Amino acid sequence: MILFSRLTGKIGLLAILLFTNLPVVLAEDDHSEIHDLMAHLLDPAAEAIWDSAGFVITEEGEFSLEPKNQEEWDKVLYGAKVISESAFLLSRPQISKNREEWIAVSGLLKVVGDKAFEAAEQQDVEELFRVGAELYQVCVACHQTYMTD
Amino acid sequence: MKNTLKIIAISFTLLLGASTYINAHHAFTAEFDPNAPINITGKVIKVEWINPHAWVHVEVKEAGKTTVWMVEGGTPNTLIRNGINKKTITPGTVIVVRGYQSKGKLCLPRCIANGRDVTFPDGSKVFMGSSGTGAPRDGSDPRERR
């Protein structure tokens, strides 16, 4: 119940962000807001997923990166929900400029974010690792087309 | 129409979890110097199997000085498809990595390189990067030769 309330609160905050135009008013050729969305919203959310599944191997042995308690799992759940809801944020006309491919690739974030959320709910680390790779493919698919150095 | 087909292709691949991956990363030129090739010979001390890039930590002893290089590889899935897995690259293994240094080249705060291929003690050489990253076409990626 506490987890539900905490997540509901965070998702509520995200919903306010998503439905408010103020933070994402873009000048026609100004992509700095995109940079900020990536740097401060999507990147940390993706890192929360990537950092929660995998292994580190040293001479001392193999260590799993999986979350160790509910608080750490909550961070993954939050990251997954941010990824999922970012699809809507990135698809809005101010950002997407109604580009068909942009909107389609953005939509994949919802698919992958939902998969990550479900994996985190199930605390399924193997699935989270697999979805993490899938998330990277979505990122790269978009960056290859739209990102410049 | 062309875009629509591309979207369908990307979506189909991702949603069905097919094994065809988009092996690319936009950040090579942002992070690494294509004009700073390097050969790193040393002992593996740590391997991080994490997305979006696996990292191999190599301890290099040279002229009485010990340096640890963090070598970025492709995604774990890419490495596994290329024949590199948790059993083939283990701590203690002496390897030779061919790659490119980070733009700083000063090893501050640490030495970082992008790995292109890795040579194992038995002489076998395996591509350890990802295709289409913007890294120089140096012959290490078997797909480039097709």
Side-chain angles (χ1 to χ4, degrees), chain A residues 47 50-51 53-59 62 65 100-102 104-105 108 111-112 115 128-134 136-141 143-145 147 149, chain B residues 3-4 6-7 10-11 13-15 17-18 20-27 29-30 43-53 75-77 86 91-92 132:
Chain A
E47 294 288 345
W50 288 330
D51 291 348
F55 297 92
V56 176
I57 303 172
T58 68
E59 287 181 341
E62 180 175 314
L65 298 176
E100 188 182 357
E101 190 174 348
W102 174 284
V105 176
L108 294 175
V111 176
V112 174
K115 284 184 185 177
L128 204 54
F129 189 69
R130 194 193 64 73
V131 174
E134 207 171 292
Y136 180 62
Q137 294 169 51
V138 176
C139 296
V140 170
H143 292 174
Q144 274 189 314
T145 306
M147 188 172 180
D149 284 338
Chain B
N3 278 349
T4 304
K6 193 173 176 183
I7 291 162
I10 291 170
S11 303
T13 300
L14 293 171
L15 295 176
T20 304
Y21 286 79
I22 302 159
N23 294 320
H25 192 282
H26 61 272
T29 53
K43 185 177 76 170
V44 175
I45 58 169
K46 183 160 110 177
V47 184
E48 297 178 74
W49 289 94
I50 56 174
N51 283 305
H53 296 285
T75 66
N77 283 343
K86 289 197 289 187

Side-chain angles (χ1 to χ4, degrees), chain B:
Chain B
M1 184 62 180
K2 189 180 172 186
N3 278 349
T4 304
L5 289 173
K6 193 173 176 183
I7 291 162
I8 291 170
I10 291 170
S11 303
F12 186 78
T13 300
L14 293 171
L15 295 176
L16 295 185
S19 59
T20 304
Y21 286 79
I22 302 159
N23 294 320
H25 192 282
H26 61 272
F28 180 90
T29 53
E31 303 281 338
F32 301 101
D33 186 346
N35 297 312
I38 187 169
N39 285 324
I40 300 167
T41 302
K43 185 177 76 170
V44 175
I45 58 169
K46 183 160 110 177
V47 184
E48 297 178 74
W49 289 94
I50 56 174
N51 283 305
H53 296 285
W55 288 88
V56 180
H57 299 239
V58 183
E59 184 182 74
V60 178
K61 290 185 176 175
E62 208 169 41
K65 184 183 170 190
T66 300
T67 307
V68 175
W69 280 85
M70 284 180 66
V71 181
E72 181 191 77
T75 66
N77 283 343
T78 303
L79 266 55
I80 289 167
R81 280 205 309 283
N82 291 347
I84 302 173
N85 57 49
K86 289 197 289 187
K87 291 181 179 173
T88 57
I89 189 159
T90 56
T93 308
V94 175
I95 60 173
V96 179
V97 174
R98 199 162 59 101
Y100 296 90
Q101 297 179 63
S102 61
K103 281 189 167 174
K105 295 195 286 286
L106 296 174
C107 289
L108 295 173
R110 59 182 68 86
C111 299
I112 298 177
N114 177 271
R116 295 292 287 163
D117 54 41
V118 54
T119 304
F120 290 100
D122 66 0
S124 61
K125 184 186 282 189
V126 181
F127 177 55
M128 69 172 292
S130 293
S131 301
T133 61
R137 295 174 69 88
D138 52 14
S140 58
D141 182 357
R143 296 180 191 191
E144 289 177 353
R145 291 196 287 267
R146 287 176 191 167

